[in-house]
Amino acid sequence: MSATARVHATARAFRGTALPVGDRALLVELADGEETASFHAELLRRRAAGTLPAVREIVPAARTVLLDGLDDPAGFAAGLGAWELPPPDSRESDTVTLPVRYDGPDLAEVATVWGVSEQEVVRIHTAAEFRAAFCGFAPGFGYLTGLGERYAVPRRATPRTAVPAGSVGLAGPYTGVYPRSSPGGWQVIGTTDTVLWDASREPAALLSPGTRVRFTAVEDEGHGSRSR
C-alpha cells in the first residue's frame, strides 16, 4: 500500500462544529485533542498548497481552532463537511530536543501518582514522543501531548508563587516548560537550560503548534537542538 493510500485509509471525516465569531472569524470546535491536531495540520497543509481561502490567523487550542480574518466565514463553514482529516504527519516538522536535569521538587510526587520509581518516571518521560498541541499561558509556553491520560497528574493543591524559568512540569495529560519565571501549579520534575522564548530570535518561540519534542536526561548543562 502506498503512503498516500495509507493516509486516506486512516483519514476521518470532519465532525467539528463551526461557530461564528464576529463578522470575519470562526471558532471550530472538535471532538478531542487528536482531531484538533489533525484539523490544524490540514489547515496548514492547504494553506501551503494555496488551496485554503485567505485567513489572517489560525490559532489552535485544546479542542478548538480559531480562524480569524476570513472573507466569507459562512461559506468556509459550509464547505467543512466535505473535508477529510488525515492524521498529523510527524515528518512535517522539526524535532526540538530538550536536555533536562530530572531534579525537580515534585519528581517523587509524580512517581507516587504513577506508582513507579523516580528512575522510571525519567525513563517514561524521555521515551515519549511529544507534540506541541497548542501554545498559551505565557509567550513560548507549549502544551505538549505524548504521555496520554494514563500518566495524567493533578496540579498542585497550592500553586507556587514563582516557578523558575526552564522548569519542566506536568499537569493533566500535558508536559510544559516554563519559558520565564512565573507563578504556577504544575508538578515540576526537572529543569532545562534551553531558552524557550527569545525576543531577539526569529522566531522568538522555540516551540509552535505541531512542533515535535523529545526530552533527554542529562546531569550537566545542555543545549537544545533541532534534527530531521
Side-chain angles (χ1 to χ4, degrees), residues 102 104-125 147 150-156 160 168-172 174-175 185-190:
Y102 284 91
D106 302 317
L107 183 62
E109 175 66 20
V110 171
T112 298
V113 172
W114 287 2
V116 300
S117 67
E118 294 181 20
Q119 291 75 16
E120 184 67 3
V121 170
V122 176
R123 188 199 68 77
I124 292 169
H125 199 253
L147 288 176
R150 175 184 176 187
Y151 295 111
V153 297
R155 294 171 180 264
R156 289 176 50 83
R160 294 183 171 92
V168 178
L170 308 180
Y174 300 111
T175 291
W186 290 41
Q187 306 280 4
V188 176
I189 61 173

Side-chain angles (χ1 to χ4, degrees), residues 131-221:
R131 178 181 181 278
F134 58 99
C135 298
F137 168 62
F141 188 94
Y143 288 78
L144 310 180
T145 58
L147 288 176
E149 292 290 343
R150 175 184 176 187
Y151 295 111
V153 297
R155 294 171 180 264
R156 289 176 50 83
T158 303
R160 294 183 171 92
T161 57
V163 179
S167 294
V168 178
L170 308 180
Y174 300 111
T175 291
V177 182
Y178 285 75
R180 64 187 184 192
S181 178
S182 64
W186 290 41
Q187 306 280 4
V188 176
I189 61 173
T191 307
T192 181
D193 294 320
T194 304
V195 177
L196 276 293
W197 176 267
D198 182 351
S200 65
R201 182 173 60 196
E202 181 57 41
L206 184 64
L207 308 181
S208 59
T211 302
R212 303 285 161 170
V213 180
R214 295 297 300 261
F215 293 92
T216 59
V218 297
E219 294 183 357
D220 54 358
E221 184 176 357

Side-chain angles (χ1 to χ4, degrees), residues 55-81:
V55 55
R56 187 174 68 250
E57 285 190 280
I58 301 174
V59 184
R63 294 186 179 180
T64 63
V65 178
L66 176 68
L67 300 162
D68 191 18
L70 291 166
D71 290 333
D72 182 14
F76 185 92
L80 287 174

Side-chain angles (χ1 to χ4, degrees), residues 4 6-13 34-35 37-43 45-46 83-89 92:
T4 300
R6 284 196 298 270
V7 167
H8 284 292
T10 56
R12 297 190 298 179
E34 181 180 351
E35 190 166 297
S38 295
F39 180 60
H40 179 245
E42 181 65 6
L43 287 166
R45 186 193 70 78
R46 293 187 181 217
W83 283 33
E84 288 191 343
L85 306 180
D89 188 343
E92 290 179 353

